[in-house]
Amino acid sequence: MTHDVATLFASLADPTRRRIVGELARGDRTVNELVGIVALRQPTISKHLKVLEHAGLLLKQADRNRRICRLNPDALRLIEDWAASHRRDWEARLDNLDRYLGSRKERP
Amino acid sequence: MQHETIVIERAFDHPVADVFAAWADPAIRAAWAAPAPGHVVIYDQAEFRVGGLDRSRCGPAAHPDVDVEARYLSIVGDGRIVFSEVITVGGRQLSASLISASFEGAGRRTRFTLTVQIASFAGPGIVEGNRQGWSAALGNLAGHLAAGMVQ
C-alpha cells in the first residue's frame, strides 16, 4: 500500500473507480454489493478494487465469507488536505499581511 | 478536473491605501505571501499593471520549487485586483485560478474580500464530506503561525 498523492490521484483518474469511491464514501460495502451497484462483472470490479487498494484508498476486511470494502481515512485525509491547502495558504498569507501592516508605523 | 470557489473575508485595521500597497508592491508582497514559516516567495518577474505578468517561485527556503505565474486582468487603485494564477510543480500544472481581491475603505479600516476560483488538475474532488473537520485544523494552524512568526 502506498501513500503517495500521485498514485492516489492516478487511481482516481478512472471514472469507475471514482464511482466506487463515491459509493464507499456513503458507507462500507461488500464486494458483492459493489458489483450490484456499479453493474459491472465481479472480475472487473475486483480489478478496480485492487488498484484502489494498492493506492492506499481502500481497505478490505474479511468478515466470515464476506469481503467488506471501506475507505482508508488516512488516504482521504491526504486528498482532502490538498484541496483544503489552497484555503489554508490564503488564510495564512492574509494573517501574514495583517501582521505586516501592524508592524509598520507609517506608510513610506 | 475539480473546481472550487474559496471566499475569504477580512477586516484590516489599516487604511485601504496601505492594504492595497501591500498587494501592489512585489517587494512588500514577498514579505507576506509565503504561507508558512520557513517558506519563501522569490519574484523573478513582477509587472503590476493590467496585462502584466508575475513569475515567482515559492516553497521551503532550501528548495522553492513551486512555480507561480500570475497575469493581471483588472486593477483599480484602492479598489480591486483581479488576476489569473497557474501553479506548476516539476513541469506539471497543478491548478489554474482566477483570483479577485476586493478592497473597500471604511475610515481607518479596510474591508477585504478574496475570492479564489480554482480549477484543480490534481485533485478529483470526490471527498467533499468532511470539510468541517478542517476548521479545527485551520484554527490550530493560525495559532501555530501566530506563535511562530514573532519577527
Side-chain angles (χ1 to χ4, degrees), chain A residues 1 3 13 21-23 40 60-61 69 73 76 85 103:
Chain A
M1 182 171 93
H3 264 194
V21 171
E23 190 55 39
L40 287 171
K60 263 198 218 158
Q61 225 167 4
C69 302
L76 295 182
S85 66
S103 71

Side-chain angles (χ1 to χ4, degrees), chain A residues 3-20:
Chain A
H3 264 194
D4 158 43
V5 180
T7 311
L8 272 178
F9 288 139
S11 79
L12 289 164
D14 180 90
T16 302
R17 289 198 286 274
R18 281 203 297 276
R19 209 166 146 217
I20 291 172

Side-chain angles (χ1 to χ4, degrees), chain B residues 37-51:
Chain B
H39 285 226
V40 295
V41 177
I42 301 159
Y43 280 93
D44 296 319
Q45 181 178 334
E47 300 170 336
F48 185 72
R49 56 174 171 77
V50 174

